[in-house]
Amino acid sequence: MAVTKTVLVTGAGSGIGRAISQCLSKNGYSLILLGRKQDNLETTRNSLEYPDQHQCISCDIRLPKDITKALEKSKINSLYALVANAGIGGENSYPSDDRWHEIIDTNLTGTYNTIQECLPYLKRSKAPFKKIVILASILARLGVPGYSAYCASKAGLLGLNRSLAAELAQEKILVNALCPGWVDTKMAHEGLQAFSEALKISKEKAFEQAMTDVPLGKMSQPDEIAQFTAFLISDAQTSITGQTLDINNGAMMP
């Protein structure tokens, strides 16, 4: 009988995190869903295969002690994989109403905190290879006016990815980062709305303009990101580590 593998997913209450959780539950993993809003986490859990096999725990990844308490509350002994998906978006402006620390502390420091707190559990897993997947963004590679904090936070994740992949290779922990472009989520639509308001055009026109830089002319679906994540943490994958993998409909071809 196969041993159930436990995977922790942050930012599991909506968007890409929810899609990843749904996909992984269908693949037989036992999930620990972390996020700030318990109600959203419960909605995700109720959408999964066998909801009772999964846990949802409210947690602020900016606070290492919060992550420690969440892991203790889960009562797990080990983790097979971590999907570090949690993050926030939006603009920042210096000095008034500057969101620099809020965005950096969540997206970059929060991901670092999560990985460090989960490492002892990953190291205790008896799986031949353990996996970490970090959700970055196409804006880790591109600059956008007004998004300095978001771009910096996501670019920082790529450096964190490479460093940890080298550091953890001897532990057989594979670390990779995904850089999605436009994905059909609430965050993307909020970005389009802000774009349309700034240019004083309709949201439909804003979408058309955004897609002029996307060769395939479309957004990705959250499930596409989820399926790719599922492959990266699967037993079939034992050779990819330290890589930044782009899913952006051709918008960036490094």
Side-chain angles (χ1 to χ4, degrees), residues 85-218:
N85 165 73
I88 57 174
E91 299 178 72
N92 64 294
S93 177
Y94 182 87
S96 62
D97 300 321
D98 194 358
R99 300 177 63 231
W100 174 271
H101 289 290
E102 178 191 1
I103 294 170
I104 295 290
D105 290 351
T106 302
N107 295 358
L108 181 55
T109 307
T111 298
Y112 174 78
N113 292 339
T114 304
I115 293 170
Q116 295 299 330
E117 292 292 330
C118 287
L119 275 179
Y121 294 86
L122 289 162
K123 290 177 180 179
R124 283 198 289 270
S125 170
K126 298 188 183 303
F129 293 89
K130 283 76 69 173
K131 315 291 173 61
I132 298 173
V133 177
I134 298 169
L135 270 294
S137 166
I138 190 173
L139 296 193
R141 298 185 178 278
L142 301 172
V144 174
Y147 282 74
S148 59
Y150 187 80
C151 291
S153 70
K154 294 298 186 175
L157 290 177
L158 303 190
L160 180 66
N161 173 58
R162 291 189 293 269
S163 178
L164 289 175
E167 179 181 326
L168 299 173
Q170 293 302 311
E171 304 278 357
K172 297 295 188 291
I173 299 175
L174 310 186
V175 189
N176 292 289
L178 296 184
C179 282
W182 286 103
V183 182
D184 191 6
T185 63
K186 181 181 178 182
M187 184 185 290
H189 286 282
E190 288 172 349
L192 279 176
Q193 185 63 40
F195 186 31
S196 72
E197 291 171 3
L199 295 179
K200 295 182 171 54
I201 58 177
S202 68
K203 187 179 173 185
E204 290 72 24
K205 288 290 184 184
F207 175 78
E208 290 176 11
Q209 189 161 332
M211 291 303 107
T212 60
D213 294 323
V214 181
L216 291 181
K218 68 178 183 68

Side-chain angles (χ1 to χ4, degrees), residues 59-92:
C59 176
D60 186 343
I61 62 170
R62 295 174 298 180
L63 307 173
K65 288 183 179 178
D66 237 32
I67 305 168
T68 301
K69 289 177 182 177
L71 287 164
E72 290 173 350
K73 185 176 180 180
S74 74
K75 300 192 182 307
I76 60 166
N77 180 63
S78 66
L79 276 174
Y80 167 67
L82 162 64
V83 180
N85 165 73
I88 57 174
E91 299 178 72
N92 64 294

